[in-house]
Each structure stands twice: as structure tokens, then as C-alpha cells.
């Protein structure tokens, strides 16, 4: 059998359908070393820099905070904390513009830095992580506020906690960086390969995986070499491989990369863990190493400032919360002829509405495009059904059919044509000779579908409530009728009986219904007495915590309120 | 900030409709040159007239529809339709028939369905078939190829015939026209002749009609250019050629005296032009790869069937239009397997 050779092994690679070759433009920004960006005067730290529930602020305006101090606490499981990226004073906790395609504002903690960059007390480094259990390490990753730094920003601690039935066999490390222009992962791998490898080692231990594949596009020979060197110096050569994959957009998409490296497809609507694979970005991996080995939270990241709109494109190490404007000023400003400022890459990034937005954990690139780089596509022409889009689609969808149905708002048809398998990579729109903004149509259609789903759920709920009410009213009416009938019957019978027996008592001494009720009452009393004897309280809740007790009381209060007939009647009639 | 809000991607688009159309026009040059060499300037005059008529018709109908005319004219699709149709027309066709055909193609077959991208039928072929059905005699009167012609037809002669609809002074139709090879083969076969006997005539070259047999090669060069430029993919041309070759070959093997050699079918009439330039019209063809294979092969088989047993000598236009009708259904049933669905997932 052939010896498995680390790094140099020729592995079989697979390919996904479609994809496009793009001018990579990496050389604009990857020839100068990474330098730290200066500390800005103000750090604007959004409470939501991740998928999930926003963090809750745990500092107040006026508080002094230290570098690395937790200032936002995660709420719920799928959430992440945020930390002060430098020391200073909290000057505001309010809504500020955040990086969002729609230019929305979001709650942020604004820290005025004092320039001292004084570190808070950090937790102990876990150098002996190999002896620690997964839960301890996950807790550290969660504390550090680490989220997917490739762009998705999903909380890493959650991702590292696959459900019990999902056994992870392969760890895939994403160093592909397939979007043109962006080079922050490239530079990270070139200069910090040891950190990345250290992070991989931690994650491997945490998940207990056998195999690890590090995918890097072959247009990054320096990064490939650096990673191979770092891997050779580690103790993981036997089961880890640095794999050069052909440069083809969007190889860096999680599902695409898994296909290229393993030949397996993540099922639709599924996650890689379902097929025993877990994927992490190289930046995330380095952050995990910092958190575990140095006890440092995620407070900075590499950001590429590039595009021909920048006089001197380069990579900076940026504190989370630094505004785009500060970074632009630091590298000497923008040229005069800027067509748009994009956060992210040219294929999937979004236009920034304001330069005041802060850099977040997932922000990898600030792209200033000139009209030459991003010319006006002009008005969209009619679709000529050329099929270039279908040939380019990495999900093997039929983009033009989706386009027709999105235009016609035929949401059911869109589901038939698997709209939700679209990853919005932009290949279809890029190759479209009619310059139709296809991705925009799909985003619109997805939003419409979600809105309709929600409406449907609401309608379903309303229908259920309405039916329940109808049934209740009907039942009440039936009961009323039955009572009336009974009363009538007993009234009818009474005179007749009187007539027969003369002075027989008419009260219910011998009435069978009353007798039954009496018997039931006695049984209940007996049971109660028996239970009291055994010292059992007649309730189904015992040993309550104060919080639970509170909930019970609240529920009872609600029940009492609801039981008051006038209130209910009013609600029903309204 | 003067930053434009446009959804991703922000990249420069490498492709444009008018560039696609322009490449189709360029790809027609070799075949057109061969046609002019064989049949005189009538081919070129028809192309110019058809283009003028097509652009005028497009502008007029768009004005009537209340749509901006300029972007539609700039996309060059009307020019492509006009040129493809002009190549298919007899080089002596009176101008008013060309006008009629072009107007039918642009106004009825294209714009009344919604314009570029919405037409279910190939406009050039719809216009051609409209003329063929309505004016069968004029549409089947072809000039003899130059090497067989008794009288050479000058530019002035061609112009005269096209403008007046009558042969030039001192000449009769019989003197300048000749049956096309497909027509000849059909007539002779129907009279019970054996192919060996038919091919004794000086009309015949190495495998097809003299002169005619080489036109296909020149269109093939243009077709290969389109493949190289990725304006078209191989699926439709290859499957159509295979469909025609296999069906013709099968019958030829059964009875070589009653059914011509497949090479004859390929290099006669509009087979090569159809395979690379007509059946590949993206608007009216199938768009899924599997669908394109079915679409192309079916056209190939239909061409053979109609040529052999149908009422008209050539069949490319009919075969294409028939399959245009089937294209949406074929597309529906040949959708590719989506990533993460079915057998590939897991």
C-alpha cells in the first residue's frame, strides 16, 4: 500500500457542477505584510455579530471596560458573547448602523478607547487541553465569542457540539478563499500557520475525529507551503493533509468544498454533520487556538482592504468595532473614482450604505471598486434562455426557470425548482448575457416564501382558535339545552307524581343524580384524607425553585383572571 | 455617500447579448461567402434587404407595443433572424416575398409573443415556413450552382430578378434555375429510379449535389467558431447530426438503392446550417443538457423522416418548429439532479 505522505499526497479530488473562473485580483493586496490597524477613538461593538439571538449588554454607560472584558452576554444556546476590543469607557449603548445589506441599525456598545489597551484578567490558558473533556473546551470557545469567520458567523461552540447521533469522522478546514480580491485568509495562513494548525489540533481533540483535510485553492502557493511546513512540524502528519484544490469559484462554499475533498454531497436542507463532516474556516481555527492556549477572546481579525479604489490595498489586523472610515483613513483614503464600497467579496458581498459601520467578527474584506472593476451592468435585457446560468450553477439548479417563476411570484413552482438550494453565489448573474440581477430575484423570492410561510402559520393558528371556539359554543349550547330539557321533564313529572302519591316530597332526596354527586363527593373527601395521612400535598408540583414557584403563581393568576366570566365574554364578542 | 446600492455580484459581466449575436453574425461569414460564390449576389442582396426589413419591422412593432425600440434593435437579434432567413431563401426571390416573410417572422413569430426571449418558435424558420407554404413555387425556384449554370448570373441580373420578380431580359427561368439536389433526388426516386441511375446525372458530385455539397463545410467552420467561442454547446449540433446520420444510415444499409447515403443527407439542404445555427437558437430550444440531446436527436430523425416520406424536399425548418413545440415539455422532464438531492446526497 502506498505510504500516506503528508502535504504532498496526491489525493483524488471531485468536482461540483458549474462554477466560474474569475480574475482573482489577489495580487493587489497579498504582497504587503499584515500590520495592526491603529486603535480608533471609538469602538462600535454590535451585540449581534452572529447568527442567533443577540447578546445582552452587561455593562452600563459610563463603565470603564478593559481589553478582552466580556461586555455582552449570550442569550440562549445559539448566541455568542461580545468583548471589549480595547480598554476605555462605555459612552453609549444604542442603535448604530451595522453591516447589513439593507443598511439597518442594530444595538451596539460604543467604547471610547483610552489608548492604554489595558487587558482584563483572562482565564487560564488550557495548555493541557488534551486531558480536558470536550465540554470544557466548548465552554472556552463559547466564552471567547468565536463565530464562523468565513462569513456565516455561526457560533462555533454550537457547531462544535453535534448531536449525539452525528458522529464526526472528517474535519474539513476551509482555507479556500475563493472570492476574488480577498486575501486575509491567505495572509493568515502564510504568517500564522502554526496558530491555525494549533487550532486544528484542538478541534480534532474536541471532536475526536480521525481524519482532517485542509483545502486551499492552488492560486495560493505560499499559503499551501506554509501550512504544509507547519503541519510537518506538528504531530498530526499521519492523518491530516493539506490539499491543493483547483481554483474555481465557489469552491470555498462549505458544501462545494466538502464535495471537492470527499466526493460527498451534504443533503438538501441538511448540515455536514449529518454525513459525519464538520467544516471550519482557518480564521476560526486560529481564534480557537487563541482562546484555548492563551485564554484570549475574539477581539480582532485580519481584514483585507482592497480594490483599485484604494491607493494602497493591504491587509490589516483590525480590532472588532473599528469603523470602516477609520480603516480607510489609515491606509490613505480612497481614490476619487469609487463606484461602490463593498463589505465582503465582489461575488457575495454587499454595498455599504455608510462608512461608519464597524468591522465585525465575520467581516473579511472592505472592497472599494472603481467603475472599471464594477461597471454598471445597464438595464437588464430579456432572458434569451441561453442556459449559461444553468451551466454555471454549482447547485445544478435551473436559474432561468427560477427567474421566470420569481418574476411571476409563483412560489409553489419555485419550491418545485428547489429555490432553497440556491446558495446565492452569484455565478448565474455573473455569466448572464442579459445582465439580469438573478440573485436579487432569488433573494426576493425567498423572502416572499418565508413571509407566506409565516402568514400560513398565522392563518392556521387563527383557524384552530376559531374552530375551538365554535366547538365550545356549540357544546355550551348543547349543555344548556340538555339542562333545560331535564328541568322541563322533572317539572312535568312532579305534578304527575304528586297527583299519584298525594304528598310525596319533591326535593331531591331520592333523585339518582343528586345521590351520585353525593357519593362522588364522599369518595373525593376520603381520598384527600388518605393523602393527608401520608403527608402528600394534593398537587403535582413539589420542591419548586423560587423561579418555578414564581411561574406557577403567575400561571395561577392568569388562570384566575381568565376564569372571570365577564372578561371572557367580552373577549369572545369582540 | 455616492455609493450605488446594487445587489451582488458586483463583478464586471463578461458576456452581453449583442456580443453573442455579433459572434453568430461573424460565424455566418464563411458559409455566406460560399453561397455567394455558388449562387451569385442574390444571396447578399437578400441579406441586406431582409436586415433592413427586419430592423424596420422590429422598430415599428415595438413602437406599436409602446416599448423602447432602441435597446431591442441594438441587441442584434432581429439582424440574426433576418440573415438566417435570407440564407434559406432562394437567391432570386422577389423582394416583396422577403418582406412578407421577415415581417411574419419579426411581428407575428417574435414580437406578438412578447419579443426576444418569449418566442416559442424560431422566428427565422417560422417566417421561412410561412413563405414555403404560401408560395411553394417561388420558394423552390433555385439558381443552378455556378459550375453548372448555362448562363452566369451577374449582380445586375440578380438585382433585376429580386426587384421585378421576372428573369433578366433575354433569359428564361428555365435557363437560370435548376432543381436542388434534395428536390432532384426526391423526384427521381418517386419515379422509381435507382440511386445508382440517378447519380449518373452531371448534377451530382462526390456524394451530394455538385457545388451544394461543399456549402455545409463552410457553415461547419462557422459552427466550430461558435463552439470555440462558447456561444453554443456541442449538445444540439452533435445530437442532431447523429440523429440524422443514424436514421439515414439505417435505411441506407437496408436498401442503398432506395435510400441515399447519410453523407448526402448531411451535406444537402440546410442540415449543417440547421444543426449549428438554427436548432441552437437558445430561445426556442431546450435548455437542459439532457433535453438538448433529445431535442437535437429528434430534429435529426425528423429531418430524415420528412425528407423521405414528407411533402417537402427539405425538412430542417419543419423539424425545428415541431421540436420547438416539444421543448418546454422536454425541459420539464429532463431537469438535472440538484446538489444534495437524490442518489448523490450523503
Amino acid at each position: 500500500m502506498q505510504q500516506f505522505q503528508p502535504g504532498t499526497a496526491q489525493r483524488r479530488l471531485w468536482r461540483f457542477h458549474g462554477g466560474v473562473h474569475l480574475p482573482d485580483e489577489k495580487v493587489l493586496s497579498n504582497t504587503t505584510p499584515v500590520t495592526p490597524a491603529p486603535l480608533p477613538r471609538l469602538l462600535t461593538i454590535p451585540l449581534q455579530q452572529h447568527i442567533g439571538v443577540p447578546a445582552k449588554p452587561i455593562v452600563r454607560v459610563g463603565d470603564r471596560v478593559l481589553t478582552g472584558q466580556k461586555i455582552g452576554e449570550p442569550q440562549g444556546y445559539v448566541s455568542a458573547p461580545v468583548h471589549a476590543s480595547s480598554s476605555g469607557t462605555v459612552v453609549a449603548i444604542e442603535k448604530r448602523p451595522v453591516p447589513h445589506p439593507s443598511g439597518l441599525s442594530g444595538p451596539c456598545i460604543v467604547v471610547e478607547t483610552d489608548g492604554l489597551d489595558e487587558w482584563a484578567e483572562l482565564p487560564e490558558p488550557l495548555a493541557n487541553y488534551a486531558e480536558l473533556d470536550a465540554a470544557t473546551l466548548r465552554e472556552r470557545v463559547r466564552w471567547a465569542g468565536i463565530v464562523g469567520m468565513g462569513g456565516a458567523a455561526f457560533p462555533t461552540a454550537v457547531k462544535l457540539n453535534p448531536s449525539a447521533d452525528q458522529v464526526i469522522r472528517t474535519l474539513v478546514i476551509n482555507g479556500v478563499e475563493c472570492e476574488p480580491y480577498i486575501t486575509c485568509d491567505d495572509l493568515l495562513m502564510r504568517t500564522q500557520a502554526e496558530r491555525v494548525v494549533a487550532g486544528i489540533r484542538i478541534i480534532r481533540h474536541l471532536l475526536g475525529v480521525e481524519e482532517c483535510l485542509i483545502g486551499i485553492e492552488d492560486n495560493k502557493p505560499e499559503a499551501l507551503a506554509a501550512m504544509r511546513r507547519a503541519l510537518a512540524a506538528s504531530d498530526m502528519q499521519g492523518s491530516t493533509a493539506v490539499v491543493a484544490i483547483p481554483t474555481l469559484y465557489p469552491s470555498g462554499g462549505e458544501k462545494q468544498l466538502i464535495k471537492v475533498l470527499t466526493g460527498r454531497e451534504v443533503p438538501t436542507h441538511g448540515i455536514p454533520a449529518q454525513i459525519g463532516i464538520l467544516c471550519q474556516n482557518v480564521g476560526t481555527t486560529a481564534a480557537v487556538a487563541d482562546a484555548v492556549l492563551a485564554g484570549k477572546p475574539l477581539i480582532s481579525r485580519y481584514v483585507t482592504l482592497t480594490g483599485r479604489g484604494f491607493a494602497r490595498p493591504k491587509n490589516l489586523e483590525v480590532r472588532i468595532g473599528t469603523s470602516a472610515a477609520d480603516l480607510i483613513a489609515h491606509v490613505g483614503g480612497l481614490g476619487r473614482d469609487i463606484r461602490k464600497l463593498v463589505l465582503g467579496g465582489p461575488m457575495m458581498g454587499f454595498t455599504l450604505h455608510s462608512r461608519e459601520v464597524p468591522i465585525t467578527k465575520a467581516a473579511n474584506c472592505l472592497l472599494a471598486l472603481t467603475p472599471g472593476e464594477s461597471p454598471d451592468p445597464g438595464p437588464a435585457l430579456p432572458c434569451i434562455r441561453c442556459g449559461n446560468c444553468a451551466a454555471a450553477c454549482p447547485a445544478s439548479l435551473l436559474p432561468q426557470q427560477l427567474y421566470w417563476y420569481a418574476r411571476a411570484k409563483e412560489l409553489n413552482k419555485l419550491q418545485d425548482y428547489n429555490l432553497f438550494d440556491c446558495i446565492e453565489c452569484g455565478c448565474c448573474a455573473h455569466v448572464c448575457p442579459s445582465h439580469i440581477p438573478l440573485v436579487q430575484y432569488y433573494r426576493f423570492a425567498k423572502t416572499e416564501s418565508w413571509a407566506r410561510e409565516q402568514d400560513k402559520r398565522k392563518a392556521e393558528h387563527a383557524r384552530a382558535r376559531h374552530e375551538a371556539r365554535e366547538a365550545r359554543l356549540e357544546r355550551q349550547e348543547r349543555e344548556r339545552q340538555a339542562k333545560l330539557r331535564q328541568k322541563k321533564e322533572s317539572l312535568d313529572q312532579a305534578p304527575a307524581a304528586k297527583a299519584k302519591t298525594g304528598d310525596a316530597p319533591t326535593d331531591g332526596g331520592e333523585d339518582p343524580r343528586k345521590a351520585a354527586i353525593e357519593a362522588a363527593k364522599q369518595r373525593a373527601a376520603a381520598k384527600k384524607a388518605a393523602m393527608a395521612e401520608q403527608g402528600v400535598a394534593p398537587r403535582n408540583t413539589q420542591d419548586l425553585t423560587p423561579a418555578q414557584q414564581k411561574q406557577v403563581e403567575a400561571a395561577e393568576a392568569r388562570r384566575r383572571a381568565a376564569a372571570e366570566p365577564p372578561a371572557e365574554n367580552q373577549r369572545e364578542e369582540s | 455617500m455616492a455609493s450605488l446600492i446594487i445587489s451582488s455580484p458586483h463583478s464586471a459581466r463578461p458576456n452581453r447579448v449583442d456580443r453573442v449575436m455579433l459572434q453568430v453574425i461573424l460565424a455566418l461569414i464563411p458559409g455566406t461567402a460560399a453561397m455567394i460564390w455558388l449562387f451569385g449576389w442574390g444571396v447578399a442582396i437578400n441579406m441586406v434587404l431582409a436586415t433592413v426589413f427586419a430592423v424596420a419591422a422590429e422598430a415599428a412593432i415595438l413602437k406599436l407595443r409602446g416599448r423602447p425600440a432602441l435597446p431591442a434593435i441594438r441587441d442584434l437579434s432581429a439582424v440574426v433572424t433576418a440573415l438566417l432567413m435570407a440564407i434559406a431563401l432562394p437567391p432570386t426571390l422577389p423582394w416583396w416575398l422577403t418582406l412578407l416573410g421577415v415581417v411574419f417572422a419579426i411581428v407575428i413569430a417574435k414580437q406578438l409573443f412578447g419579443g426576444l426571449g418569449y418566442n416559442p418558435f424560431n422566428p427565422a424558420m417560422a417566417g421561412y415556413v410561412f413563405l414555403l407554404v404560401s408560395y411553394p413555387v417561388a420558394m423552390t425556384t433555385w439558381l443552378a450552382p455556378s459550375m453548372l449554370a448555362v448562363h452566369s448570373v451577374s449582380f445586375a441580373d440578380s438585382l433585376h430578378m429580386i426587384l421585378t420578380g421576372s428573369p433578366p431580359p433575354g433569359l428564361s427561368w428555365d435557363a437560370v434555375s435548376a432543381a436542388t439536389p434534395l428536390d432532384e433526388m426526391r423526384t427521381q426516386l418517386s419515379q422509381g429510379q435507382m440511386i445508382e441511375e440517378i447519380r449518373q446525372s452531371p448534377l451530382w458530385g462526390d456524394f451530394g449535389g455538385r457545388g451544394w455539397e461543399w456549402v455545409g463545410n463552410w457553415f461547419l467552420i462557422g459552427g466550430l467558431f461558435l463552439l470555440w467561442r462558447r456561444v453554443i454547446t456541442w449538445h444540439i449540433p452533435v445530437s442532431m447530426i447523429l440523429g440524422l446520420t443514424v436514421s439515414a444510415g439505417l435505411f441506407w444499409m437496408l436498401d442503398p438503392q432506395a435510400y441515399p447515403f447519410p453523407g448526402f443527407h448531411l451535406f444537402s439542404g440546410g442540415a449543417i446550417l440547421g444543426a449549428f445555427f438554427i436548432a441552437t437558437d437558445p430561445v426556442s430550444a431546450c435548455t437542459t443538457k439532457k433535453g438538448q440531446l433529445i431535442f437535437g436527436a429528434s430534429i435529426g430523425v425528423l429531418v430524415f423522416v420528412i425528407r423521405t416520406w414528407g411533402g417537402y424536399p427539405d425538412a430542417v425548418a419543419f423539424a425545428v418548429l415541431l421540436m420547438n413545440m416539444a421543448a418546454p415539455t422536454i425541459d420539464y422532464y429532463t431537469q438535472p439532479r440538484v446538489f444534495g438531492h437524490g442518489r448523490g446526497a450523503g
Side-chain angles (χ1 to χ4, degrees), chain A residues 247-307:
Chain A
T247 300
L248 176 71
Y249 180 81
S251 296
E254 186 173 70
K255 293 179 174 182
Q256 280 66 36
L257 178 60
I258 288 170
K259 171 88 183 189
V260 169
L261 289 176
T262 69
R264 305 182 66 193
E265 287 185 13
V266 180
T268 175
H269 303 310
I271 57 167
Q274 283 169 277
I275 55 168
I277 296 172
L278 200 130
C279 192
Q280 291 289 352
N281 165 269
V282 285
T284 317
T285 314
V288 168
D290 288 350
V292 173
L293 300 176
K296 278 188 183 170
L298 174 54
I299 57 161
S300 70
R301 65 159 298 145
Y302 282 11
V303 178
T304 310
L305 274 68
T306 186

Side-chain angles (χ1 to χ4, degrees), chain B residues 76-134:
Chain B
L76 297 179
S77 62
V79 177
V80 169
T81 299
L83 294 179
L84 288 173
M85 206 172 133
I87 286 170
L89 295 176
T92 55
L93 194 72
W95 66 269
W96 57 88
L97 290 185
T98 305
L99 174 67
L100 210 57
V102 165
V103 167
F104 184 87
I106 298 291
V107 174
I108 311 263
K110 183 179 172 190
Q111 289 292 345
L112 288 193
F113 283 97
L116 179 65
Y118 296 88
N119 46 298
F121 296 104
N122 183 316
M125 289 303 100
Y128 174 80
V129 163
F130 167 73
L131 287 179
L132 185 61
V133 173
S134 314

Side-chain angles (χ1 to χ4, degrees), chain B:
Chain B
M1 194 165 66
S3 191
L4 262 170
I5 309 306
I6 291 178
S7 176
S8 63
H10 310 282
S11 56
R13 311 292 153 85
N15 222 340
R16 225 169 60 197
V17 172
D18 56 350
R19 276 185 224 148
V20 173
M21 297 290 174
L22 191 64
Q23 295 186 70
V24 175
I25 294 169
L26 290 177
L28 282 170
I29 290 175
T32 307
M35 295 274 290
I36 292 174
W37 179 68
L38 278 177
F39 302 108
W41 289 103
V43 178
I45 296 168
N46 273 350
M47 287 177 128
V48 172
L49 287 178
T51 304
V52 172
F53 295 153
V55 171
E58 180 115 310
I61 185 73
L62 282 165
K63 200 166 163 54
L64 281 175
R65 290 182 62 207
R67 301 287 171 101
L70 207 57
I73 290 166
R74 270 206 205 123
D75 69 29
L76 297 179
S77 62
V79 177
V80 169
T81 299
L83 294 179
L84 288 173
M85 206 172 133
I87 286 170
L89 295 176
T92 55
L93 194 72
W95 66 269
W96 57 88
L97 290 185
T98 305
L99 174 67
L100 210 57
V102 165
V103 167
F104 184 87
I106 298 291
V107 174
I108 311 263
K110 183 179 172 190
Q111 289 292 345
L112 288 193
F113 283 97
L116 179 65
Y118 296 88
N119 46 298
F121 296 104
N122 183 316
M125 289 303 100
Y128 174 80
V129 163
F130 167 73
L131 287 179
L132 185 61
V133 173
S134 314
Y135 304 92
V137 177
M139 286 293 286
T140 46
T141 304
W142 272 82
L143 289 178
S146 56
M147 61 277 282
L148 290 174
V150 189
H151 300 277
S152 66
V153 179
S154 68
F155 180 81
D157 292 341
S158 293
L159 199 61
H160 185 271
M161 286 187 277
I162 289 170
L163 291 182
T164 66
S166 54
L171 286 175
S172 66
W173 277 124
D174 286 346
V176 290
S177 71
T180 66
L182 280 170
D183 210 357
E184 176 73 9
M185 178 65 78
R186 196 187 150 69
T187 316
Q188 300 288 342
L189 280 174
S190 68
Q191 289 167 1
Q193 300 268 35
M194 309 281 267
I195 284 184
E196 218 168 286
E197 293 165 344
I198 299 170
R199 287 181 55 96
Q200 300 297 322
S201 149
L203 271 172
W204 300 95
D206 296 327
F207 50 88
R210 257 176 95 186
W212 286 90
E213 60 193 2
W214 302 113
V215 174
N217 288 333
W218 295 100
F219 281 117
L220 184 64
I221 290 174
L224 294 176
F225 169 79
L226 291 183
L227 277 175
W228 173 59
R229 300 296 305 162
R230 299 192 187 180
V231 171
I232 59 172
T233 59
W234 59 270
H235 302 77
I236 292 176
V238 168
S239 60
M240 175 175 158
I241 287 170
L242 276 179
L244 179 57
T245 311
V246 168
S247 49
L250 221 63
F251 280 85
W252 172 69
M253 282 192 288
L254 285 176
D255 186 356
Q257 287 309 319
Y259 298 100
F261 167 67
F264 167 80
H265 275 290
L266 282 183
F267 288 93
S268 297
I272 298 291
L273 177 74
F276 286 92
F277 289 89
I278 304 212
T280 52
D281 164 36
V283 176
S284 52
C286 284
T287 61
T288 65
K289 293 296 160 217
K290 228 189 283 172
Q292 288 180 345
L293 293 176
I294 297 170
F295 178 81
S298 307
I299 291 176
V301 172
L302 277 176
V303 167
F304 174 74
V305 168
I306 299 173
R307 277 181 182 177
T308 309
W309 298 291
Y312 288 89
D314 202 358
V316 172
F318 291 107
V320 168
L321 291 179
L322 282 172
M323 290 314 294
N324 284 167
M325 275 191 256
T329 311
I330 297 175
D331 271 344
Y332 183 81
Y333 286 106
T334 54
Q335 293 177 40
R337 184 186 67 81
V338 174
F339 188 98
H341 285 253
R343 63 185 155 76

